[in-house]
Amino acid sequence: DAMVIQNPRYQVTQFGKPVTLSCSQTLNHNVMYWYQQKSSQAPKLLFHYYDKDFNNEADTPDNFQSRRPNTSFCFLDIRSPGLGDAAMYLCATRSRGSGTDTQYFGPGTRLTVL
Amino acid sequence: GQQVMQIPQYQHVQEGEDFTTYCNSSTTLSNIQWYKQRPGGHPVFLIQLVKSGEVKKQKRLTFQFGEAKKNSSLHITATQTTDVGTYFCAGPRSAAGGTSYGKLTFGQGTILTVHP
């Protein structure tokens, strides 16, 4: 089945220690999004890719970076995680030109910062 | 900027009772989507409404899009414990120049608890 996969599902890191989260998709969607979601809150968009074109949200901290080496994969790098970065990180995809804004979410990576 | 407000924030019901969550946008929306997120899970797309006044049903769930395309509601009839979760509405983010790359503005969500 076509799907959005995130690895790892759970990540524990130390304060200031870089961490990379990964997302892969078999939907062949050209748009990919990274969201941060904290407890009892709505997902907050960090950035998105339309193909290889990168678009950063204005309020996304510089501590967060992203890479998309090909259509299927996208990575979220947190250069120096702080305690406030502990959250669920969600990857989502969408097919631009499909006539719908529907997004397909991966299962998420729950990040703990010690 | 565009805002999407959702009420109530929390709803506790007894199994079998009905449940409704309401969504209001500060701007007219081309469509509205609803997502469900189970505890510990990820948002899952439920439905998209496009037309003014549209009503769609999925078994016990009824979705409505307002005539002005600025509000929407989700009603669940006779809730079950499997309905537990957070329900989010989301509308396309409005952007200058008309290109938003499908970005969504989410409501804050309604957390539904169903007591057996």
Side-chain angles (χ1 to χ4, degrees), chain B residues 67-104:
Chain B
E67 294 289 342
K69 301 183 76 172
K70 294 181 73 173
N71 58 74
S72 182
S73 64
L74 158 59
H75 179 82
I76 302 179
T77 304
T79 54
Q80 300 175 358
T81 54
T82 52
D83 295 325
V84 163
T86 303
Y87 292 84
F88 291 101
C89 63
R93 190 186 297 189
S94 52
T99 302
S100 69
Y101 295 105
K103 290 189 284 188
L104 298 173

Side-chain angles (χ1 to χ4, degrees), chain B:
Chain B
Q2 179 190 43
Q3 290 188 336
V4 176
M5 307 298 293
Q6 201 174 340
I7 57 168
Q9 187 175 359
Y10 301 94
Q11 186 74 59
H12 305 271
V13 300
Q14 288 292 131
E15 190 172 20
E17 291 182 338
D18 292 355
F19 158 75
T20 304
T21 174
Y22 300 91
C23 183
N24 286 285
S25 171
S26 59
T27 60
T28 301
L29 301 171
S30 58
N31 68 75
I32 191 142
Q33 301 170 41
W34 286 91
Y35 292 80
K36 176 184 178 181
Q37 185 171 20
R38 294 182 186 275
H42 59 281
V44 174
F45 172 77
L46 293 177
I47 206 160
Q48 175 174 283
L49 304 171
V50 178
K51 298 176 184 175
S52 169
E54 188 170 14
V55 177
K56 286 189 175 180
K57 292 192 175 185
Q58 289 180 350
K59 297 183 180 177
R60 295 178 293 104
L61 278 61
T62 302
F63 304 84
Q64 202 162 6
F65 200 11
E67 294 289 342
K69 301 183 76 172
K70 294 181 73 173
N71 58 74
S72 182
S73 64
L74 158 59
H75 179 82
I76 302 179
T77 304
T79 54
Q80 300 175 358
T81 54
T82 52
D83 295 325
V84 163
T86 303
Y87 292 84
F88 291 101
C89 63
R93 190 186 297 189
S94 52
T99 302
S100 69
Y101 295 105
K103 290 189 284 188
L104 298 173
T105 300
F106 283 86
Q108 307 96 310
T110 295
I111 300 172
L112 173 64
T113 305
V114 180
H115 301 284

